[in-house]
């Protein structure tokens, strides 16, 4: 007993850092810092980057990714993944289009599209949480299934006769700020998700599941219900993103937003969420999405082609994941050097301090 | 491996399950009947039969027969590579981009050296793919980072490279030598050459996985990485091997792509990585590693591609193909789950009786 106690006393003071250092050295802080650097560099060096119109473009461009990244973060923190999100975007878009084409009013059609998202999420959640299948395999299946239903419903046709009173909404901005009005919806949602993940027992349970499902279950977290809720949230928000996407382009197609899932996952991982689960924060993720948006916009204004931008985003993703390993090496080397410098502490010498 | 189990038995360790008393042939037939490969193969045959009943041209015309075998050839190669990677509990999402690079490279090489022998093109494509796979493997194995993230990143990078390189241009059949393009359509005993190539490769990979020591170790690495490390297996090296193999096969698939279609643009093979993973999953390769065969994945690839062309024959719009594939994947993993649960129950019963 006593041996364990002294060891705990010995190790904890040596490794704890002051709060400001922990915050500044966190993964989220480095993403936010990188975002600020890109933004400030672009603002002072790239013509047109500072324009409100550029801000509008960046935000409108990233809205779908921003929206889906919120619930996706929660899912990845539990150690699962949802690859079907882009297909849910396509399916809700197709349902919205079909209903509008058949004369259903927009509000009802939009609600139906949202309901489709709920059902898609329920199917994913049921298969993962209650049947106990790996989420990667399940959502590769539903990726094909939902996309297939969307393409099957609409074929290669596109529905474009949406009321302009609705499509115009996606282009509206708040006063002269250049911030799209729809951002209000995002901010409200983001606040809700931050509260859910970072300030609620439910969110604590999400981290517990990510760290160890067995331990979480043992300590009273309802793992099945949590996973089900998270997949339903992902489906629902993806459907909302699908409605926005459809109205923004004024076109409902079965293949809308194909490949978007990879963008969302790339942004979430760039934002510091561990794919193994248990680690990551929403502010980092939001900064990650905006970083990708600002970087692509800045590079595009500088005349860099989209392909090179994709290479850069890929490199950024690989390096950001590798950085953990690299930092671990660095701190390992530093720790070894420290140990060599300092005389080895014995439990007795710590006790006398 | 066998000596260790033998000594254990000799030492009188109580075994959980008695060795089967049934003769070898009965056991072989039983395991064959229970195998996932057989059930997927039966579904594949049913699909072909249903399509052939509606229109006998689907199988019995020379074009139908050729397409039936040629269409899955490219996916067969990718699925085999993906199987090797998934067995080690990783995944390779960059194979579509590697295929794209290799296909474009083949076109470029022929454009600058028109007289080059086709075999050399195959070698170049395979080498390029293996090199890119090596990048994936080294980063995954030594960076200690999840393969899904790395290959997602390298997918962006590799695809970006080929799009930057190719731009919006196109390499057409006229820029490639006839001898090479002939390979895309030539048949031996009415069997397309490219299909034979794919089957031989799948057989070789399957033989490697089941018999070679390093092949068996891939399964060990995938079923329990920590145990594999403790046991002293060169886990990092095996993971690199798996990625190099997957990259090389994707590179080969790129050359086959160029030979088969005659035209290459920068988008060659985009999205095919999901089909490769899907083929493996349908064919019974467990996404959690350690289980599955390239045979299963190959039959799965055949099924996915054949459904595509069979649907219009049986009167279903081809637009529904993807939905059917999705339902198939889900059915396959649910089936896996049910079988695994049944086996676990049987093992527990066997233990309780013992």
């Amino acid at each position: 007993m006593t041996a364990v106690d002294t060891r705990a006393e010995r190790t904890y003071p040596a490794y704890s850092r002051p709060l400001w250092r922990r915050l500044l050295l966190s993964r989220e802080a480095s993403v936010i810092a990188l975002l600020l650097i890109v933004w400030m560099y672009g603002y002072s060096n790239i013509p047109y980057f500072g324009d409100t119109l550029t801000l509008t473009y960046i935000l409108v461009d990233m809205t779908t990714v921003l929206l889906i990244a919120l619930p996706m973060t929660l899912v990845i923190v539990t150690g699962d993944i949802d690859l079907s999100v882009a297909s849910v975007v396509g399916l809700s878009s197709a349902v919205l289009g079909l209903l509008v084409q058949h004369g259903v009013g927009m509000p009802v059609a939009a609600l139906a599209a949202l309901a489709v998202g709920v059902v898609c999420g329920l199917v994913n959640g049921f298969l993962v949480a209650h049947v106990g299948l790996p989420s990667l395999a399940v959502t590769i299946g539903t990726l094909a299934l939902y996309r297939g239903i969307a393409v099957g419903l609409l074929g290669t046709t596109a529905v474009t006769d949406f009321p302009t009173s609705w499509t115009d909404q996606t282009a509206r901005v708040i006063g002269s700020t250049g911030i799209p009005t729809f951002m209000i919806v995002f901010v409200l949602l983001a606040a809700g998700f931050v509260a859910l993940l970072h300030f609620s027992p439910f969110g604590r349970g999400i981290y517990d599941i990510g760290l160890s499902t067995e331990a979480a279950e043992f300590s009273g977290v309802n793992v099945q219900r949590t996973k089900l809720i998270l997949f339903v949230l992902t489906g629902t928000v993806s459907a909302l993103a699908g409605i926005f996407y459809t109205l923004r382009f004024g076109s409902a197609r079965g293949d809308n937003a194909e490949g978007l899932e990879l963008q969302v996952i790339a942004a979430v991982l760039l934002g510091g969420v561990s794919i193994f689960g248990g680690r990551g924060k929403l502010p980092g993720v939001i900064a990650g999405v905006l970083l990708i948006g600002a970087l692509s916009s800045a590079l595009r204004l500088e005349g860099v082609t989209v392909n090179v931008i994709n290479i850069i985003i890929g490199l950024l993703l690989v390096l950001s994941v590798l950085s953990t390993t690299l930092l671990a090496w660095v701190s390992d080397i530093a720790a070894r050097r420290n140990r060599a410098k300092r005389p080895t502490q014995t439990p007795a010498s710590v006790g006398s301090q | 491996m066998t000596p260790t189990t033998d000594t254990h038995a000799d030492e009188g360790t109580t075994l959980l399950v008695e060795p089967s008393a049934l003769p070898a042939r009965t056991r072989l037939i039983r395991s064959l009947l229970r195998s996932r490969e057989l059930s997927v193969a039966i579904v594949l045959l049913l699909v072909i039969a249903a399509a052939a009943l509606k229109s006998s041209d689907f199988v019995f015309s020379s074009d139908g027969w050729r397409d039936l075998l040629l269409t899955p050839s490219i996916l067969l190669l990718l699925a085999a590579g993906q199987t090797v990677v998934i067995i080690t509990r990783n995944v390779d999402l960059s194979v579509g981009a590697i295929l794209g690079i290799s296909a474009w490279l083949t076109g470029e090489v022929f454009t600058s050296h028109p007289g080059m022998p086709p075999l050399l093109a195959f070698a170049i494509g395979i080498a390029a793919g293996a090199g890119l796979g090596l990048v994936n493997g080294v980063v995954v194995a030594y960076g200690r980072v999840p393969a899904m993230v790395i290959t997602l990143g390298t997918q962006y990078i590799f695809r970006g490279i080929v799009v930057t390189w190719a731009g919006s241009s196109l390499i057409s059949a006229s820029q490639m030598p006839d001898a090479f393009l002939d390979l895309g359509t030539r048949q031996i005993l009415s069997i397309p050459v490219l299909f034979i190539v794919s089957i031989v490769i799948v057989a070789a990979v399957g033989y490697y996985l089941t018999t070679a020591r390093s092949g068996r170790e891939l399964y060990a690495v995938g079923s329990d990485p920590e145990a594999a490390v403790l046991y002293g297996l060169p886990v990092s090296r095996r993971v690199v091997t798996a990625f190099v193999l997957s990259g090389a096969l994707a590179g080969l698939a790129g050359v086959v792509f160029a030979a088969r279609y005659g035209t290459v643009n920068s988008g060659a093979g985009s999205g095919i990585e999901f089909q490769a993973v899907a083929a493996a999953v349908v064919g019974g390769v467990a996404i959690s590693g350690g289980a599955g065969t390239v045979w299963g994945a190959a039959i799965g690839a055949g099924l996915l591609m054949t459904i595509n062309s069979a649907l219009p024959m049986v009167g279903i719009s081809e637009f529904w193909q993807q939905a059917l594939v999705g339902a198939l994947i889900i059915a396959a993993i649910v089936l896996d789950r049910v079988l695994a649960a049944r086996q676990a129950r049987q093992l527990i019963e066997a233990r309780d009786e013992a």
Side-chain angles (χ1 to χ4, degrees), chain B residues 17-50:
Chain B
V17 183
E18 286 293 314
S20 176
L22 295 167
R25 201 199 299 161
T26 325
R27 266 186 294 152
L28 182 71
I29 291 172
R30 278 200 182 176
S31 65
L32 202 65
L33 283 177
R34 277 193 196 150
S35 78
R36 180 63 177 280
E37 288 78 7
L38 189 75
S39 48
V40 184
I42 289 173
V43 176
L44 174 59
L45 289 177
L46 285 178
V47 169
I48 296 175

Side-chain angles (χ1 to χ4, degrees), chain A residues 10-347:
Chain A
R10 188 178 53 150
T11 47
Y12 275 117
Y15 282 98
S16 81
R17 292 170 174 156
L19 182 67
W20 64 270
R21 264 187 78 183
R22 255 187 296 157
L23 280 182
L24 276 185
L25 286 177
S26 73
R27 199 32 220 285
E28 290 72 32
S30 59
V31 182
I32 295 171
L34 207 54
L35 171 65
L36 289 178
I37 291 169
V38 169
W39 209 283
M40 285 191 304
Y41 177 85
Y43 196 82
S44 49
N45 293 320
I46 301 171
Y48 307 116
F49 187 83
D51 289 6
T52 52
L53 197 59
T54 310
L55 180 68
T56 313
Y57 274 139
I58 294 177
L59 291 179
V60 171
D61 232 26
M62 301 310 285
T63 299
T64 38
V65 178
L66 272 174
L67 284 173
I68 304 173
L70 296 174
M72 183 70 93
T73 302
L74 274 58
V75 169
I76 296 183
V77 169
T78 63
D80 279 318
I81 198 157
D82 188 347
L83 293 176
S84 71
V85 286
S87 299
V88 177
V89 169
L91 184 55
S92 70
S93 176
V95 168
L96 186 71
L98 269 181
L99 289 177
V100 168
Q101 199 178 32
H102 287 85
V104 178
M106 265 308 284
V108 178
L111 277 180
L114 271 185
V116 166
V118 175
V119 173
C120 289
L122 274 174
V123 172
N124 282 336
F126 175 77
L127 289 172
V128 172
H130 293 277
V131 187
L133 300 170
S135 54
L136 185 68
V138 166
T139 56
I140 281 180
T142 51
L143 168 104
L145 179 66
Y146 300 157
R147 177 68 70 192
I149 297 174
V151 174
L153 285 175
L154 277 183
T156 50
T157 60
V159 180
T160 52
D161 43 357
F162 294 101
T164 46
S165 58
W166 280 71
T167 50
D168 287 350
Q169 293 298 320
T170 57
R172 259 185 53 194
V173 295
I174 307 170
S176 58
T177 55
I179 297 173
T181 318
F182 194 81
M183 274 294 120
I184 298 174
V185 178
F186 168 73
V187 169
L188 289 176
L189 260 182
F193 273 101
V194 167
L196 190 66
L197 181 61
H198 298 305
F199 299 103
S200 80
F202 184 80
R204 200 54 253 164
I206 291 175
Y207 283 101
D208 290 347
I209 295 173
L211 292 169
S212 164
T213 313
E214 289 79 19
E217 201 149 3
F218 200 65
S219 57
V221 178
N222 191 332
V223 176
Q224 290 192 339
R225 200 189 60 192
T226 306
K227 286 189 173 184
L228 185 70
I229 290 174
L230 292 188
F231 277 98
V232 170
L233 281 175
T234 321
T236 315
V237 176
S238 301
L240 179 68
I243 297 170
F244 178 84
Y245 192 102
T246 314
L247 294 176
R248 182 193 152 205
F249 292 103
S251 154
R253 295 168 50 94
D255 60 354
N256 265 353
E258 215 160 12
L260 188 81
E261 67 278 345
L262 298 185
Q263 280 185 45
V264 174
I265 292 165
V268 170
L269 299 176
L270 187 63
V273 177
S274 161
I275 192 122
F276 294 127
R279 255 199 87 247
K281 293 189 173 67
L282 274 170
V285 169
I286 296 169
V289 182
L290 292 177
L291 174 62
I292 291 178
L295 197 64
S296 353
S297 171
L299 291 170
R300 233 176 295 160
L301 284 170
E302 289 275 53
V304 179
T305 61
V306 182
N307 322 312
V308 178
I309 294 172
N310 274 340
I311 299 179
I312 293 172
I313 291 174
L315 278 173
L316 207 61
L317 180 59
V318 172
L319 286 178
S320 75
V321 185
L322 272 182
S323 68
T324 326
T325 315
L326 296 178
L327 282 179
W329 279 347
V330 171
S331 68
D332 206 40
I333 294 167
R336 218 172 293 157
R337 204 173 293 161
N338 268 343
R339 229 174 296 143
K341 244 186 280 173
R342 260 195 318 226
T344 37
Q345 292 183 327
T346 60

